[in-house]
Structures are given as C-alpha cells and as structure tokens.
Amino acid sequence: MQKVRIDLVSDVACPWCAIGYRRLEQALETLDGEVDVELFWQPFELNPDMPPEGEPILEHLCRKYGKDAASMAQSQREIMAVAEELGLNFRGAQERRANNTFAAHRVLAWAATQNLETPLQLALFDAYFGEAKNPSDPEVLREKAIEVGLDGDIAESIARSDQYADEVRAAEQRFMEAGVTAVPGFILDGRYLISGAQPAEVLVDALRQVAEENASR
C-alpha cells in the first residue's frame, strides 16, 4: 500500500475546512486498503488582526465581501445545509463571532505532539460552528482538550502564554510561500495543491494518482 502525505492547511474558523475534512474522510473510506495517508494539519488565520472580542459573523462577512446582510445570511444558510448533510454540527453558525484563532493554533500544535490534533481540530470545529464558542478562549480550549483526552491545565496554560508561537508563525509563513492563499488547502506529498473543499471523488482521484506515481518511482 502506497503512502501519501497530506498537509491540510486549515483554520478552525473556516466552515469549508470542516466540510473539506469530512469530504477527505469520505475519500479515505473509498480508498480503504489502497492508500496509506499520513495527515498533518497546518495553520492558517482567516482573521489575524481581529481583536480579542471578535465581531458578529454576519457584520464581519458583509464588510469583508462587500455584500448585504440578506444575501450573506442566505449564503451562510447554504453552507450550513452542506455541513448538515455531511453530519456536521453547524447549529450555532449564525450566532458565532469572527475570532482570531492564533491561540487555538498554538494549542493544536501542542496537541500534535500528543497525537491528538485531529480530535481537537474536530472538537474546535464543533465548538465554533455548533456552539458558537470562541475557539481561542483559554477556557474553551481547556474544555475541548479534556473532551479529547488531553491535559486541560496544559492546554489552558499554552493558550494564556506565547508557547508554540514561533512554530505556528513559521508554518503559516511556509505554506503561504508554497502558494496557499485560501483554505482549505490540501498539499499531497509536498507536490500538488488542491484548493477548496472539493468533492470526495476529486480527492479520491488525486490521491490515487499520487499513489500510482509513488509506486512507479
């Protein structure tokens, strides 16, 4: 079975990242027994300059994309429908605030050292889109860390400090230089970039192609 590395560039505040990961799961179910995937989450901040209190999501999106509230609310409902079809909890998506996620990424970097980054990523998607909680709030990070089997005290202390800041900044810079300007971005074996939450079939085809190339090397 051929190994393929996936670097998934993502932000816990990105709805399409949650959707994209679920579609990747579907692709991997299809490829079960064909491809051995190693997944590495990589950080991206949608709102690096957002103040700690955040901003109501619709207000933020209207300003960011220059659209009126009604059309932006409709597009959010459409995203929620896509997410719910995939079994994701997006019930709080309309009530969430646009938040800076740097603290979340720092705690996630630590979770990766404990081999629990994926469970924490999913718990933070659920916190943000399902419960409309701030994913960089140290208490939220503590709560979600405990949920997935991590030490809540350590998670909270990292969130309240600047631990892992250098690692996160370096990774953000590296993937921006690699051409990732929007998320999700799936980089396969460091060679191919797939942008956006593509359908599972697209990911299946791409992973098969890379696995075949690896087999013929």
Side-chain angles (χ1 to χ4, degrees), residues 38-104:
E38 278 189 298
L39 176 66
F40 297 87
W41 294 85
Q42 304 293 350
F44 187 96
E45 290 174 77
L46 287 174
N47 300 303
D49 302 318
M50 185 65 64
E53 67 274 12
E55 182 180 19
I57 192 64
L58 284 178
E59 202 176 294
H60 169 72
L61 292 173
C62 288
R63 188 167 49 75
K64 184 172 182 177
Y65 294 108
K67 292 188 177 179
D68 63 272
S71 61
M72 192 53 71
Q74 177 59 29
S75 70
Q76 288 296 293
R77 284 192 292 273
E78 289 165 5
I79 293 171
M80 289 167 72
V82 172
E84 282 157 17
E85 277 179 25
L86 292 167
L88 296 167
N89 175 11
F90 268 47
R91 286 189 292 274
Q94 297 272 34
E95 289 75 51
R96 75 192 195 277
R97 297 175 74 83
N99 293 117
N100 173 274
T101 51
F102 189 56

Side-chain angles (χ1 to χ4, degrees), residues 109-140:
W110 163 70
T113 70
Q114 310 298 306
N115 297 314
L116 285 169
E117 186 173 16
T118 294
L120 185 57
Q121 287 274 1
L122 302 185
L124 291 175
F125 283 142
D126 197 60
Y128 187 57
F129 297 106
E131 305 168 41
K133 292 180 176 176
N134 178 355
S136 274
D137 182 321
E139 291 179 12
V140 172

